[in-house]
Amino acid sequence: MDADKDNPASWRTMESLGAVHVKDVFDDENATCVVKDYEIDVDESINANTSIYEPLIVKTISRK
């Protein structure tokens, strides 16, 4: 995953969900700016944050 370096809301959200910052690179192909690359263990993040997000998922599904 990556986020523009100038978009702290995105990369701080990833960090809060357990993403690990790998490197900063200049993306001249897609974003034409410096991006922060991250790795995240999705299963670990889901397990660590289930109590926060499960009620939101249930609520969203119930509205349909």
Side-chain angles (χ1 to χ4, degrees):
M1 296 173 43
D2 64 33
D4 292 1
K5 188 172 183 175
D6 293 334
N7 186 352
S10 289
W11 50 265
R12 286 187 177 145
T13 298
M14 287 190 285
E15 290 174 357
S16 73
L17 294 171
V20 176
H21 180 241
V22 178
K23 62 184 174 182
D24 289 352
V25 295
F26 185 81
D27 181 354
D28 58 355
E29 189 173 315
N30 297 307
T32 61
C33 65
V34 175
V35 296
K36 297 172 75 73
D37 278 343
Y38 286 86
E39 291 181 357
I40 189 165
D41 182 321
V42 175
D43 291 331
E44 184 179 308
S45 180
I46 290 171
N47 287 334
N49 296 289
T50 297
S51 64
I52 297 169
Y53 294 106
E54 188 170 12
L56 300 172
I57 294 168
V58 171
K59 184 176 179 180
T60 301
I61 292 171
S62 297
R63 281 194 269 170
K64 290 184 177 182

